């Protein structure tokens, strides 16, 4: 009894710490409670659930899944239907974050079925919301494998997103029935995001506007900021750039009020790109400079490279090619530093274009030199005293004369000029016929070359055959053969015994153990486990789908042990929005440039 009291006290302290936001300390108390042990099954179930949630918050999803499984098994063993529903929902959320979407959907559906069976409207709403999140995350995960714009996803992705919308709409209808405004706001936000991915931008704007209204009712600044950012993204695709800019400016103000520097930089990045679309390049430069400063402050190299790229483009549009060149060089340096191949290619192309614009030859690798000795850094961390100098020696070189064919013909002409005044009889016969002294082989030499090749291959063949003979092993007499056969049989028997023992060990490791609950102790532990097993055998068996889910959970353990694929070259930028606005802007700009491209006209020369 003393152990149960101590376990409960430790668990209550762990719960208090987790609610206060100190989950790491809370986990320590929960683990201590399990070490103390208890024979109170409901207390143990609560500890499992809280430990799973705490590990989930800390990002340790493997341990979170383990404790939620313990909670689910214990709830089913006790016949606690409400506890089973909650544990299934928690396990589903954990599996979703781990990318195991099909198993997560089965767990969340189990949560939904039990909640409907018990008439638990709040639990039903949570299950619908979680199911929408699973299919929304699955659709986004599959869609990331390609480079499609919103509304241009394959059928598999669209089916997942439409399924998510169905669950979100059911959740929204139920929350309106329960008059839960906060839950309505969350559902509207997710509906807006899903419609945005499907390309339904007008519908997305309607839901995000409702989300914004509810966020203002509760004074939820972060939610209000997210709503403004999402509204800006949707208006961009409708071509309403001025409206988008106003939403991004409000996003920037809210980020400054909250004090989130990374989100502030993201808003500046979006504003800079939006003003670029509006052709207000000076305003774009102002916001991109703010983004650059914050990226340098937060040591975000990817964001710093994006800012330099954007600043170079804006200065190029204003005709300030020298400043644009400065940022293009910095973009190339950062891309090399972080190993961004696409960034390096883009920066190099920009450098070549800029060098052509300022009349520098593109064949030079570095026509613009940095004055590292006497240079100073400006407030943005970019060197401002570039010394622009042309390499005259390179300008005088003819690229055509540097090709291999030109060099060969030039050498032949020099040789002919040098031998015109020399009597051929004075030259050695071998020198005049040696292929080493000729740039090409004449037709008369083909027969001699073929003979030399044949003799070479014949010599090589003899050499290889000698090596093969040296490596052959000689067979011994009858006694040696019998000894070799006996030894070979012994080795085979030992090897087969070893394989058999290893297989037996693997079978033992894969045997299913009876339910084991860490923290369950006391003198009645054996009796409690026996009673739980007897009770479990009398409980009506669940549906086949749930058993299939458990089987998939077990089979997925093999997948967890596989070696991971090489990491993607794409790096996450702290100061760039999660929405890949960078690539979207590039594609929008390229389409607009193609539409506005005019046919070249012929100019008459005076």
């Amino acid at each position: 009894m003393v152990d149960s009291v101590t376990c409960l006290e430790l668990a209550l302290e762990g719960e208090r710490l987790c609610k206060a936001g100190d989950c790491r300390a809370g986990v320590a108390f929960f683990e201590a409670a399990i070490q103390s042990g208890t024979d109170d099954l409901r207390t143990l179930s609560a500890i499992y659930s809280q430990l799973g949630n705490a590990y989930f918050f800390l990002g340790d999803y493997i341990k979170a899944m383990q404790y939620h499984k313990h909670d689910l098994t214990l709830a089913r063993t006790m016949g606690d239907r409400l506890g089973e529903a909650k544990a299934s929902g928690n396990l589903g959320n954990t599996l979703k974050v781990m990318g195991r979407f099909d198993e997560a959907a089965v767990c969340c559906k189990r949560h939904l079925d039990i909640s409907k069976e018990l008439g638990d409207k709040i639990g039903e709403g949570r299950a619908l919301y979680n199911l929408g999140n699973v299919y929304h995350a699955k659709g986004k995960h599959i869609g990331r494998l390609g480079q499609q714009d919103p509304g241009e996803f394959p059928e598999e992705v669209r089916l997942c997103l439409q399924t998510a919308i169905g669950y979100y709409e059911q959740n929204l209808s139920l929350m309106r029935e329960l008059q839960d405004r906060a839950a309505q706001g969350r559902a509207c936000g997710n509906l807006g995001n899903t419609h945005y991915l499907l390309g339904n931008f007008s519908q997305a704007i309607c839901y995000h506007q409702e989300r914004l209204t509810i966020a203002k009712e509760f004074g939820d600044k972060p939610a209000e900021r997210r709503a403004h950012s999402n509204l800006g993204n949707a208006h961009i695709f409708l071509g309403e750039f001025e409206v988008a800019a106003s939403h991004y400016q409000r996003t920037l103000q809210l980020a400054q009020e909250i004090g989130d520097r990374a989100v502030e930089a993201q808003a500046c990045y979006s504003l800079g790109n939006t003003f670029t679309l509006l052709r207000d390049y000076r305003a774009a430069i102002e916001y991109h400079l703010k983004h650059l400063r914050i990226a340098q402050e937060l040591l975000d190299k990817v964001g710093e490279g994006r800012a330099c790229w954007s600043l170079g483009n804006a200065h190029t549009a204003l005709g300030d090619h020298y400043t644009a060149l400065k940022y293009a060089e910095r973009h190339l340096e950062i891309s090399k530093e972080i190993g961004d191949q696409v960034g390096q290619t883009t920066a190099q192309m920009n450098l070549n274009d800029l060098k052509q614009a300022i009349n520098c030859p593109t064949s030079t690798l570095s026509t613009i030199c940095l004055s590292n000795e006497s240079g100073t850094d400006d407030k943005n961390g970019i060197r401002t005293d570039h010394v622009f100098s042309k390499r005259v020696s390179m300008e005088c070189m003819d690229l055509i004369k540097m090709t291999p064919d030109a060099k060969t013909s030039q050498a032949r002409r020099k040789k002919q000029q040098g031998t015109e005044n020399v009597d051929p009889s004075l030259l050695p016969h071998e020198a005049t016929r040696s292929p080493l002294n000729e740039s090409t082989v004449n037709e008369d030499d083909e027969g001699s070359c073929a003979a030399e090749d044949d003799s070479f291959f014949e010599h090589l063949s003899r050499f290889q055959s000698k090596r093969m003979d040296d490596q052959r092993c000689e067979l011994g007499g009858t006694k040696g053969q019998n000894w070799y056969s006996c030894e070979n049989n012994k080795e085979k028997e030992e090897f087969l015994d070893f394989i058999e023992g290893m297989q037996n060990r693997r079978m033992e490791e894969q045997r299913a153990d009876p339910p084991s609950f860490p923290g369950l102790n006391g003198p009645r532990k054996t009796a409690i486990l026996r009673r739980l097993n007897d009770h479990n055998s009398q409980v009506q068996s669940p549906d086949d789908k749930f058993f299939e889910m458990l089987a998939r959970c077990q089979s997925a353990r093999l997948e967890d042990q596989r070696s991971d694929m090489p990491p993607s070259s794409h790096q996450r930028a702290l100061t760039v929005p999660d929405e890949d606005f960078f690539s979207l802007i590039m594609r929008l700009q390229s389409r607009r440039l193609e539409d506005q491209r005019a046919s070249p006209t012929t100019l008459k020369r005076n």
Side-chain angles (χ1 to χ4, degrees), residues 43 63 148 178 189 271 351 407 459:
T43 299
K63 286 189 176 180
Q148 295 87 0
L178 297 176
L271 277 167
L351 281 171
K407 289 182 177 180
H459 174 72

Side-chain angles (χ1 to χ4, degrees), residues 404-415:
D405 294 338
K407 289 182 177 180
T408 304
S409 61
Q410 186 177 6
R412 187 183 297 112
R413 286 196 300 270
K414 288 183 178 180
K415 182 178 180 180

Side-chain angles (χ1 to χ4, degrees), residues 414-544:
K414 288 183 178 180
K415 182 178 180 180
Q416 290 176 357
Q417 292 174 1
T419 58
E420 282 179 355
N421 300 325
V422 179
D423 186 0
S425 62
L426 298 178
L427 295 175
H429 179 70
E430 290 78 5
T432 58
R433 298 293 296 172
S434 173
L436 297 177
N437 294 328
E438 296 181 4
S439 59
T440 58
V441 178
N442 298 326
E443 294 180 0
D444 297 337
D445 298 332
E446 290 182 357
S448 61
C449 288
E452 290 176 1
D453 289 342
D454 291 340
S455 61
F456 171 74
F457 281 115
E458 185 179 354
H459 174 72
L460 182 62
S461 177
R462 287 198 301 269
F463 179 74
Q464 291 284 13
S465 63
K466 289 180 180 179
R467 293 187 61 191
M468 293 296 292
D469 290 336
D470 293 339
Q471 295 175 10
R472 296 184 190 277
C473 60
E474 297 180 358
L475 294 176
T478 306
K479 182 179 180 181
Q481 290 178 357
N482 294 334
W483 173 83
Y484 176 78
S485 177
C486 294
E487 289 296 323
N488 193 22
N489 290 334
K490 289 181 181 179
E491 291 179 359
K492 284 183 178 179
E493 291 177 0
E494 292 177 358
F495 181 71
L496 291 176
D497 291 341
F498 171 74
I499 292 293
E500 183 180 1
M502 184 175 66
Q503 290 285 6
N504 291 335
R505 287 195 298 272
R506 291 185 63 187
M507 292 296 294
E508 290 296 331
E509 291 172 357
Q510 295 175 11
R511 293 186 190 280
D513 297 327
S516 175
F517 304 107
L520 178 62
N521 59 8
R524 297 185 300 149
K525 177 179 178 179
T526 305
I528 290 173
L529 287 176
R530 186 182 301 110
R531 178 172 57 84
L532 289 175
N533 290 330
D534 294 340
H535 175 75
N536 191 34
S537 63
Q538 298 174 4
V539 175
Q540 184 179 1
S541 60
D543 54 11
D544 294 337

Side-chain angles (χ1 to χ4, degrees), residues 350-368:
N350 289 341
L351 281 171
N352 293 337
D353 293 340
L354 290 167
K355 289 172 184 178
Q356 288 181 353
I358 60 177
N359 297 323
C360 285
T362 57
S363 61
T364 59
L365 296 177
S366 178
T367 57
I368 307 301

